[in-house]
Amino acid sequence: MSSPSLAHPLTSLRVCVAADAEAAAEVAATRILTLLREKPTAALGVATGSTPSPVYRALARSLQSEPLDLSRARAFALDEYVGIDPRAPQSYRSVIDAEVTEPLGFDRRLVAVPDGSSADLDAAASAYEAGIDAIGGVDLQILGIGHNGHIGFNEPGSPHDSPTRVVDLAEETREANARFFDGDIDRVPRQAMTQGIGTILKARSIVLLAFGSGKAEAVARALEGPIAEASPASALRRHADVTILLDKAAASSLS
C-alpha cells in the first residue's frame, strides 16, 4: 500500500490508495473474508464489471489456500439489464454465476439478481427491495463507480433516497458497456433494474473501488464536490461506514 487508511478530512469516509488494482482488491478481499468468518450467513452486495473482478479473483485465491464454507452466505447483485436473456453471457446473472457463485462456492439459491426479464418490472423491483429487507439487509456492499459518478445504475439525477427500480441508462454508460457487447452500442440495453441509492445506503458497510485515471474526476467529485444528485456517489458521504479503495491513478485528482 502506498498510504495507510485515512479518514477523509471532510467526511467519515476512509480512503486507501494502493499501488495498483490488485493490491486494492486484496484489501477488499481480506475485509470480506473477515466478515464471512465472523458471520457465515452474511449478506454481500455484489457489483459487476471490470472493477470488482479483481476482488472476486483475490477471494478465490484465498479460498484455495484457506478454504471457507460460504454455502450459507447470501449475495444480492446491484443491478441487471432490462429485457436481456438471463442466460446471455452479458447478463449480470451470468457474470455473477461465473465470477462469484461458482468459484466462491455460494449456494445459487441464495444469490439474488434483479429480474430484468419480468413481465411486471415494477413488481419485480419492489420484490427485490423487499427480499433485501426480509433478511435484515446487506452486511457489506461492494461498489464501483462510473465515469459519470453512477453507483449501480443510478445515473446523475437519481434521488439519494431512491429504492430498487427501473432506470434509463445514460448514453455514456451504454457507450462504456458496449465493450461487453462486441463494441456494438446498439446491442446494449437502454434500461436496467438497479438497487437505488437509498437501498445501497441501507447496507451496514460499503466498500467502493475505483481504478485508472478515467475514474479520477468522478472520484474527486464524489469525495470533494457537493453532495448532490448530479454526483450519485457523493451520497456515500452520508453513510457511517464507507471505505474507498483506489489505485494511484484513480486518486490523482484528489486534493
Side-chain angles (χ1 to χ4, degrees), residues 153-155 158 166-171 173-174 189-192:
F153 273 133
N154 295 282
E155 304 283 20
S158 296
V166 173
V167 298
D168 295 328
L169 298 180
E171 285 304 294
T173 298
R174 295 181 65 240
R190 295 183 178 276
Q191 291 186 312

Side-chain angles (χ1 to χ4, degrees), residues 15-189:
V15 181
C16 290
V17 181
D20 53 33
E22 295 300 326
E26 291 287 349
V27 174
T30 298
R31 174 87 176 267
I32 293 166
L33 287 171
T34 298
L35 168 65
L36 291 168
R37 289 191 181 99
E38 295 174 351
K39 185 180 180 181
T41 59
L44 296 180
V46 289
T48 53
S50 56
T51 298
S53 291
V55 178
Y56 306 139
R57 293 195 296 268
L59 284 169
R61 289 193 299 269
S62 294
L63 291 170
Q64 286 178 348
S65 58
E66 297 184 46
L68 181 65
D69 181 9
L70 301 186
S71 63
R72 293 189 292 153
R74 293 180 177 272
F76 290 89
L78 262 180
D79 39 36
E80 178 60 286
Y81 291 116
V82 165
I84 198 167
D85 186 332
R87 297 167 296 182
Q90 298 91 349
S91 80
Y92 290 158
R93 165 58 77 180
S94 294
V95 173
I96 293 296
D97 280 348
E99 295 191 355
V100 178
T101 310
E102 295 171 9
L104 304 184
F106 278 74
D107 184 336
R108 195 173 189 270
R109 295 169 297 181
L110 301 181
V111 178
V113 179
D115 185 2
S117 61
S118 173
D120 189 335
L121 292 170
D122 289 340
S126 295
Y128 198 74
E129 184 89 7
I132 295 174
D133 291 339
I135 59 93
V138 166
D139 291 290
L140 191 154
Q141 176 67 60
I142 303 164
L143 294 176
I145 183 172
H147 292 86
N148 63 3
H150 72 226
I151 48 176
F153 273 133
N154 295 282
E155 304 283 20
S158 296
H160 286 181
D161 61 353
S162 52
T164 301
R165 69 207 189 284
V166 173
V167 298
D168 295 328
L169 298 180
E171 285 304 294
E172 181 180 2
T173 298
R174 295 181 65 240
E175 290 169 2
N177 287 5
R179 68 189 189 276
F180 300 117
F181 293 83
D182 299 323
D184 186 356
I185 191 172
D186 290 333
R187 294 176 55 200
V188 182

